[in-house]
Amino acid sequence: MDLGVRWKLHGDGRTPAPGAVVRPDERLSWPRTFGLGAQHVVAMFGASFVAPVLMGLDPNLAIMMSGVSTVIFLLATRGRVPSYLGCSLSFVGVAAVIRAQGGTSATVTGAVFVVGAALFLVGLAVQKFGARIIHAVMPPVVTGAVVMLIGFNLAPVTASTYWPQDQWTALLVMLFTGLAVVCLRGFWSRIAIFLGLLFGYGISWAFDRIFGRIHSATGGAEAIDHWRLNLSGVGKAEWIGLPSFHAPSFQWSAILVALPVVIALIAENAGHVKAVGEMTGTNLDDKLGTAISADGVGSMLSTAVGGPPNTTYSENIGVMAATRVYSTAAYWAAAGFALLFGVCPKFGAIVAAIPGGVLGGITVILYGMIGLLGAQIWMNAGVDLRNPLNLVPAAAGIIIGIGNVSLKFTDNFSLSGIALGTLVVITGYHALHAMAPAHLKTQEPLLDEGTSSYDDAAGDTADGQSAKS
């Protein structure tokens, strides 16, 4: 069985010829391949370490399981889809809501485990019926609205938890990160979040030396005098050791809050597979369902031991675009480095010491970018928001999600925020389409071919016909 773990040497193994690309089944020399793997790890550091910290989970376990999930993904796709699976930021808001309701880390990972299982089943359905099943249930107006409300639902977390801890550090980190995203080029712009973290560490250290302790709340607690950067835990941490594991706990209230995020994960995976296919000049339509299922399996395995869920990372796709090296051997190397970092508690302690003000500056941009990805989905698909069939359910769902509106059914059961907003968008869209007059429906078809090239191609592949690009 071909598992995609054999690579041909590209040219002399040193530098690709001008205009040439290193294909997924090729590699450069092993020293260069390991160097590229390290570069991929750096690219995903910012988001993949910030996410577990924001979710209250072990960053060491997060990085270890990102390596395991990447291996699973590469094996499942037979090495045809070069991608790295890192911790998904889409669940940060979910974790905050679950913890606000009294949930523990086990409750968070249990809810997300169910989302991983749902993602796995969606992948199987896509393999059998093609991507048209996705677009039939979740057309772009729905997907965009859900992604948007997930991102903007996080705004109160920044405003009430992180930013107040050190507003001036937060402001400086926000400005620096924004400038890094816009002004830097190529690989450096792809690691802007990571650079922002480094800048924040430096500023916090300098402010401690210049101004002394700061009087503020830490993580929503009572305001106290404390150092901005507290590295006491780093000195106590061992160099080698396993991360902390825990079993998931399942509660229906938490599961209902988390389930809507599966829509964002489907959109992420579909977009990333499409982008990789376009960059490599390879038709990957037949691998979309496999990629989604592999992502689901990786997330299930990670959350089963207490880690965060994973998803394909656009940061690493950006690295491929900049280097034109699409070799999956580099991703195997990246997975190996991630496993090594995962068994270094001292490294995890450094990450866990990220000052609250630094997270405030980072999350202002990060959460906004997540939300605006929904608008990008609308723009790419040509969604017409002048049509009330699109405007009404999207508007209602987004406000419910951002405002954390609640709908109470009994003393022990209610829907609110992300869960209720997603339900309103999906059911509202399809209900209005079923009852609307014909002239409104003709303005935008339910299956808009502009949403993805998978619509017909995946269907043809499922029928055994040749796929079209």
Side-chain angles (χ1 to χ4, degrees):
M1 181 183 295
D2 181 14
L3 297 177
V5 293
R6 295 181 179 178
W7 303 274
K8 297 175 293 184
L9 188 65
H10 178 88
D12 60 3
R14 296 183 178 179
T15 305
V21 299
V22 181
R23 299 184 59 78
D25 61 345
E26 297 179 328
R27 66 169 176 84
L28 298 177
S29 64
W30 284 116
R32 287 173 173 78
T33 296
F34 287 129
L36 287 166
Q39 183 171 265
H40 278 299
V41 172
V42 172
M44 64 85 179
F45 258 8
S48 207
F49 271 108
V50 169
V53 170
L54 297 178
M55 294 174 68
L57 300 176
D58 186 347
N60 271 83
L61 183 56
I63 191 66
M64 173 187 286
M65 296 313 297
S66 76
V68 173
S69 297
T70 299
V71 169
I72 292 173
F73 186 90
L74 293 173
L75 291 174
T77 58
R78 303 291 190 266
R80 289 184 57 199
V81 187
S83 287
Y84 191 91
L85 269 64
C87 182
S88 175
L89 285 161
S90 299
F91 289 93
V92 172
V94 165
V97 171
I98 293 174
R99 290 185 182 278
Q101 295 175 347
T104 63
S105 293
T107 312
V108 171
T109 52
V112 178
F113 178 91
V114 176
V115 176
L119 190 64
F120 171 71
L121 295 176
V122 169
L124 295 182
V126 172
Q127 289 183 51
K128 183 173 180 61
F129 301 108
R132 64 186 64 189
I133 187 176
I134 296 176
H135 300 301
V137 178
M138 297 177 295
V141 61
V142 170
T143 305
V146 172
V147 172
M148 185 174 290
L149 69 87
I150 287 173
F152 292 158
N153 177 266
L154 297 168
V157 177
T158 293
S160 62
T161 301
Y162 298 121
W163 190 279
Q165 292 186 41
D166 188 354
Q167 61 177 0
W168 297 113
T169 295
L171 179 63
L172 290 174
V173 171
M174 179 194 73
L175 294 174
F176 177 88
T177 305
L179 288 171
V181 172
V182 174
C183 298
L184 297 180
R185 296 186 178 184
F187 170 72
W188 294 106
S189 68
R190 295 290 176 178
I191 61 170
I193 299 296
F194 179 64
L195 296 178
L197 289 174
L198 294 180
F199 175 80
Y201 266 100
I203 286 293
S204 298
W205 179 86
F207 281 4
D208 280 341
R209 300 299 177 277
I210 298 171
F211 303 111
R213 295 172 183 253
I214 186 173
H215 183 79
S216 68
T218 56
E222 183 180 352
I224 59 173
D225 290 332
H226 63 93
W227 297 109
R228 296 169 180 81
L229 180 61
N230 184 357
L231 296 176
S232 59
V234 178
K236 300 175 183 177
E238 299 292 335
W239 281 102
I240 302 295
L242 290 175
S244 57
F245 299 98
H246 69 257
S249 174
F250 302 97
Q251 295 182 11
W252 274 112
S253 58
I255 292 170
L256 290 174
V257 170
L259 270 177
V261 182
V262 74
I263 297 175
L265 297 182
I266 293 169
E268 284 178 347
N269 276 277
H272 292 167
V273 171
K274 180 180 179 181
V276 171
E278 290 176 349
M279 286 192 301
T280 59
T282 306
N283 192 325
L284 297 176
D285 296 342
D286 61 322
K287 289 298 180 183
L288 176 60
T290 303
I292 294 175
S293 291
D295 189 350
V297 171
S299 292
M300 290 168 64
L301 183 60
S302 178
T303 53
V305 297
N310 293 291
T311 187
T312 51
Y313 257 35
S314 58
E315 288 89 339
N316 298 92
I317 293 175
V319 170
M320 288 193 296
T323 62
R324 298 176 66 82
V325 177
Y326 309 118
S327 172
T328 55
Y331 282 101
W332 277 92
F337 283 124
L339 291 172
L340 290 176
F341 280 122
V343 294
C344 180
K346 193 172 290 292
F347 188 78
I350 294 174
V351 176
I354 299 174
V358 176
L359 291 176
I362 293 288
T363 54
V364 163
I365 295 177
L366 202 58
Y367 293 169
M369 290 172 64
I370 294 172
L372 289 177
L373 285 176
Q376 184 180 7
I377 291 173
W378 286 344
M379 293 171 61
N380 291 343
V383 173
D384 184 5
L385 291 178
R386 296 171 299 179
N387 188 331
L389 289 181
N390 298 329
L391 180 62
V392 172
I398 289 171
I399 290 300
I400 288 172
I402 295 174
N404 209 31
V405 175
S406 296
L407 185 63
K408 186 175 182 180
F409 294 91
T410 68
D411 291 339
N412 299 319
F413 179 72
S414 65
L415 291 173
S416 62
I418 294 173
L420 182 59
T422 299
L423 185 64
V424 167
V425 173
I426 294 178
T427 59
Y429 177 84
H430 290 291
L432 289 175
H433 259 268
M435 296 183 290
H439 74 276
L440 289 180
K441 298 179 183 180
T442 56
Q443 291 186 28
E444 181 188 350
L446 182 62
L447 294 178
D448 181 3
E449 292 184 358
T451 61
S452 170
S453 62
Y454 294 124
D455 290 352
D456 294 326
D460 291 344
T461 302
D463 295 334
Q465 301 176 14
S466 59
K468 298 176 290 184
S469 59

